[in-house]
């Protein structure tokens, strides 16, 4: 192995902040392209052993699972880099490359310490991507960082406990059977957007710039899917957690008005499918989760590119302000619709050939209830992302705006990923060939195509029949982040105010006491005080005479 | 006015859409089904199941929305 693809992206990203103009554009394309090439130069096995304290770190471990994720991460950085060529922020794309590079580093990490280092670096890189969007994103980027630092602390506590109880530092499959392992699982799940920590994603990501959110959608949650795939395959608790995420995403996206927040909720929905697959845990389900993550990164980035193009041209994010854009943005409309069809798993798109492996594995395991919920969720995906997003952004009422399609670099980004969505849908074999386990699955059977078309098209019918109930309003929907955005600060403020009042009251008491002592002293010792007055010498003589007299009287008193 | 938004074209689109819906139900009789459970062997299972799932999701969301919806400047005022 020559060069670590993740470190290349990290170092290259940092170097990019120092160059401008065409050199910078060249780096934005060449760095991820070279990293993608290097990913495929990593053979199977362990490379880069480093001694650290008493431990042996395995800096790079190459295997099939790591390679699938590293491939899509570097590919995402490449196409995202092209899409973001017009981005004027000097921080955002370099930060995104550091972020992508650390995600690649995390999936190649052979031990838990290396994993943790890259895990934290990802948090820093992604926070900078949000932060780079400007003043409006600062508060959200700090809330985002807090959640991820908390997740990092939980993960570190778990790793420490695992090692202290004699566990191996090598990152391999484990059971959620001890406190330490449960902490590791929780640390992973926080990054996956699992409950009760789902709200950080729709809170922070949509505040990023038009290109920033494209990068953000790809790495954090999918690295979490990777570590769950490697660390906790077949852990049953992941099934209910995944199903919760699936329906949480749908319900909140249905209620949402901001087009990019709709897509943010839909990320949690999609990751929910993957987490459910990991919980099912058969080879087919794990393959399905990995393949779905691969396809999902592409179509979700595509959807966010089309939303980013709309934001770039109109500066608007709310469905209530948008509509009718198909008339002047044909390319964006077509690409956004392809992404929408792919996320809905329409036949001939990548969702159809990947996501269906997860439901099929539920059917093979005779998990009827789970299978039914996944089918209902597939219908719900079409409802909230497949139709709702393109309908409210590009069609519905005419907003009167006639923005042009975005500049060529953004167009090429969208075209590349649209082609991949359809390519992997029509010919999934190259993807199947790199999955962790051998694939024995045929997506294109008559029954599968017909049943999927029925499911989706009748969901479409429901959408248009219920359109009045789906009309958007100028609202947001409260989530569990209310507890740390309103209740927590409210309590803290209340407590602070109460304490301050108590302090002030006791201060007033102390001040009162002090000032009465002061007045008393002043009264006696002040310039006109009784003890500081100038006395006449006559008074003095009189008092001395009185004292002498008293003395004489005392002396002659009989014993 | 763009041809796609004329009432006449919208009517035609609806007719085409309903025809396609009918086709997907009819097509079921021409493919070899391999149901895994009893329920998915029912006629046009995916059609009515998807439809009902969406209706439940939409009204379920509305119900939750009544409780949790706030004006979108809610957090700015906090």
């Amino acid at each position: 192995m020559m060069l670590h693809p993740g470190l290349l992206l990290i170092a290259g990203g940092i170097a990019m902040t120092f160059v401008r103009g065409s050199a910078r554009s060249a780096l934005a394309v060449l760095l991820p392209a070279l990293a993608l090439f290097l990913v495929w130069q990593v053979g199977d096995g362990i490379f880069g052993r480093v001694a650290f304290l008493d431990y042996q770190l395995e800096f790079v471990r190459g295997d099939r699972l790591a390679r699938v994720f590293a491939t899509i991460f570097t590919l995402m950085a490449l196409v995202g880099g092209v899409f973001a060529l017009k981005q004027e922020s000097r921080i955002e794309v370099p930060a995104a490359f550091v972020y992508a590079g650390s995600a690649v580093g995390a999936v190649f990490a052979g031990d838990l310490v290396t994993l943790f280092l890259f895990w934290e670096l990802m948090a820093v890189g992604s926070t900078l991507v949000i932060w780079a969007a400007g003043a409006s994103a600062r508060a959200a980027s700090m809330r985002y960082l807090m959640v991820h630092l908390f997740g990092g602390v939980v993960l570190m506590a778990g790793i420490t406990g695992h090692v202290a109880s004699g566990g191996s530092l090598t990152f391999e499959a484990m059971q959620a059977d001890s406190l330490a392992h449960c902490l590791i699982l929780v640390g992973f799940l926080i990054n996956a957007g699992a409950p009760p920590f789902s709200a950080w994603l729709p809170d922070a990501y949509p505040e990023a710039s038009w290109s920033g959110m494209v990068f953000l959608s790809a790495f954090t949650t999918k690295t979490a899917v990777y570590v769950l795939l490697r660390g906790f395959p077949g852990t049953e608790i992941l099934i209910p957690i995944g199903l919760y995420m699936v329906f949480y995403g749908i319900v909140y996206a249905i209620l949402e008005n901001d087009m990019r927040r709709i897509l943010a909720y839909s990320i949690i929905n999609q990751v929910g499918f993957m987490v459910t697959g990991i919980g099912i845990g058969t080879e087919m389900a794990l393959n399905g989760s990995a393949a779905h993550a691969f396809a999902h990164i592409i179509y979700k980035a595509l959807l966010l590119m089309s939303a980013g193009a709309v934001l770039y041209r109109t500066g608007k994010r709310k469905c209530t302000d948008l509509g009718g854009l198909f008339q002047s943005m044909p390319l964006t409309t077509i690409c956004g619709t392809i992404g929408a069809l792919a996320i809905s798993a329409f036949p001939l798109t990548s969702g159809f050939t990947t996501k269906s492996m997860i439901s099929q594995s539920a059917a093979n395991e005779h998990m009827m209830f789970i299978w039914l919920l996944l089918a209902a969720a597939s219908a719900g995906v079409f409802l909230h992302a497949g139709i709702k997003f393109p309908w409210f952004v590009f069609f519905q009422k005419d907003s009167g705006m006639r923005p042009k399609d975005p500049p060529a670099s953004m167009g090429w980004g969208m075209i590349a990923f649209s082609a991949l969505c359809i390519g992997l849908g029509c010919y999934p074999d190259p993807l199947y060939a790199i999955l962790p386990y051998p694939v024995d699955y045929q997506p294109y059977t008559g029954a599968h195509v017909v049943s999927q078309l029925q499911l989706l098209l009748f969901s479409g019918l429901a959408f248009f029949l219920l359109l009045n109930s789906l009309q958007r309003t100028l609202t947001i929907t409260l989530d569990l982040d209310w507890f740390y955005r309103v209740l927590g600060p409210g309590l803290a403020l209340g407590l602070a105010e109460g304490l301050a009042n108590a302090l002030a009251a006791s201060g007033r008491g102390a001040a009162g006491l002090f000032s009465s002592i002061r007045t008393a002293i002043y009264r006696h010792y002040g310039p006109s005080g009784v003890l500081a007055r100038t006395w006449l010498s006559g008074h003095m003589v009189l008092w001395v005479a009185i004292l002498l007299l008293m003395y004489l009287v005392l002396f002659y008193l009989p014993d | 006015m763009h041809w796609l938004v004329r009432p006449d074209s919208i009517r035609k689109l609806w007719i085409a859409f309903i025809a396609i819906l009918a086709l997907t139900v009819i097509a079921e009789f021409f493919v070899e089904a391999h149901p895994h459970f009893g329920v998915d062997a029912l006629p046009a299972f995916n059609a009515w199941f998807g439809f009902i799932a969406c209706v439940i999701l939409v009204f379920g969301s509305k119900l939750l929305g009544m409780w949790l919806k706030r004006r979108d400047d809610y957090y700015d005022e906090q």
Side-chain angles (χ1 to χ4, degrees), chain A residues 255 318 326 360 368 372 376 447 450-451 454-455 457-459 469 473-476 478 481-482 485-486, chain B residues 2 14 17 21 24-25 28 32 36-37 46-47 49 51 54 58 61-62 68-70 72 74-75 78:
Chain A
L255 292 170
K318 294 177 186 170
F326 78 96
Q360 187 60 43
M368 183 175 89
L372 283 175
V450 169
S451 59
Q454 277 187 9
L455 188 75
L457 292 173
F458 277 85
S459 307
S469 301
T473 49
L474 285 167
T475 51
I476 55 160
L478 292 188
D481 63 345
W482 182 83
R485 293 180 70 178
V486 178
Chain B
H2 195 281
W14 265 107
F17 184 43
L21 288 176
T24 61
V25 176
E28 200 175 78
E32 183 197 350
H36 290 266
F37 317 101
N46 284 283
F49 184 75
F51 187 84
C54 286
V58 169
S61 305
K62 274 188 90 74
L68 291 175
K69 262 192 183 183
R70 296 291 183 278
D72 59 4
Y74 174 78
Y75 281 115
Q78 290 301 314

Side-chain angles (χ1 to χ4, degrees), chain A residues 270 273 292 299 340-360 371-383 386-387 425 441-461, chain B residues 17 20-21 23-25 27-28 31-34 40 44-51 54:
Chain A
Q270 295 289 301
F273 278 98
H292 189 209
Y299 57 66
L341 293 176
I343 198 173
S344 317
F346 240 84
L348 301 182
T349 65
S350 55
F352 183 76
T353 50
T354 56
K355 191 170 76 179
S356 52
M357 291 167 92
I358 300 174
S359 354
Q360 187 60 43
W371 181 81
L372 283 175
L373 285 176
L374 287 177
S378 298
V381 172
F382 190 47
L383 191 72
I387 314 186
Y441 177 63
Q442 178 49 255
Y444 286 102
T445 64
H448 186 204
V449 172
V450 169
S451 59
Q452 186 71 2
L453 282 176
Q454 277 187 9
L455 188 75
L456 296 181
L457 292 173
F458 277 85
S459 307
L461 179 67
Chain B
F17 184 43
I20 293 171
L21 288 176
L23 271 179
T24 61
V25 176
E28 200 175 78
V31 296
E32 183 197 350
H34 21 79
D40 52 342
F45 167 76
N46 284 283
W48 57 261
F49 184 75
F51 187 84
C54 286

Side-chain angles (χ1 to χ4, degrees), chain A residues 271-483:
Chain A
V271 172
F273 278 98
M274 300 168 210
V275 171
T276 308
I278 298 168
I280 295 173
T282 59
E283 287 196 355
M284 183 183 205
L286 299 176
N287 266 345
S289 290
H292 189 209
F294 193 100
H296 165 83
I297 288 179
I298 295 171
Y299 57 66
K300 179 57 71 177
L302 175 58
L303 284 165
L304 284 165
M305 284 177 184
S306 69
V310 170
L311 180 66
Y312 181 81
R313 282 297 192 211
T314 66
K316 295 190 192 306
R317 291 163 47 175
K318 294 177 186 170
C319 290
T320 40
D321 296 335
L322 296 164
L325 300 184
F326 78 96
Q327 303 197 30
S328 59
M329 300 182 89
L331 177 71
T332 312
T333 306
I334 290 169
C335 292
T337 307
I338 290 174
L341 293 176
I343 198 173
S344 317
F346 240 84
L348 301 182
T349 65
S350 55
F352 183 76
T353 50
T354 56
K355 191 170 76 179
S356 52
M357 291 167 92
I358 300 174
S359 354
Q360 187 60 43
S361 64
N364 290 354
E365 297 304 300
H366 310 292
M367 301 169 160
M368 183 175 89
F369 190 59
I370 295 166
W371 181 81
L372 283 175
L373 285 176
L374 287 177
S378 298
V381 172
F382 190 47
L383 191 72
H384 83 271
I387 314 186
K388 183 181 170 177
F389 168 73
W391 174 259
F392 280 107
V393 174
F394 299 113
F395 301 99
Q396 62 150 343
K397 66 175 184 0
D398 189 354
S399 64
M401 288 187 288
R402 293 288 181 271
K404 285 187 296 185
D405 264 322
S409 55
M410 295 168 73
W412 282 114
M414 293 195 287
I415 290 169
F417 270 177
S418 299
L420 270 175
C421 281
I422 295 173
L424 290 174
C426 298
Y427 184 58
D429 298 27
L431 176 58
Y432 288 172
I434 61 168
L435 291 179
Y437 303 101
V439 177
D440 177 26
Y441 177 63
Q442 178 49 255
Y444 286 102
T445 64
H448 186 204
V449 172
V450 169
S451 59
Q452 186 71 2
L453 282 176
Q454 277 187 9
L455 188 75
L456 296 181
L457 292 173
F458 277 85
S459 307
L461 179 67
F463 178 87
F464 286 110
L465 290 180
L466 298 175
L467 204 51
N468 278 334
S469 301
L470 288 161
Q471 283 306 339
R472 297 322 324 135
T473 49
L474 285 167
T475 51
I476 55 160
T477 312
L478 292 188
D479 199 340
L480 290 173
D481 63 345
W482 182 83
F483 285 96

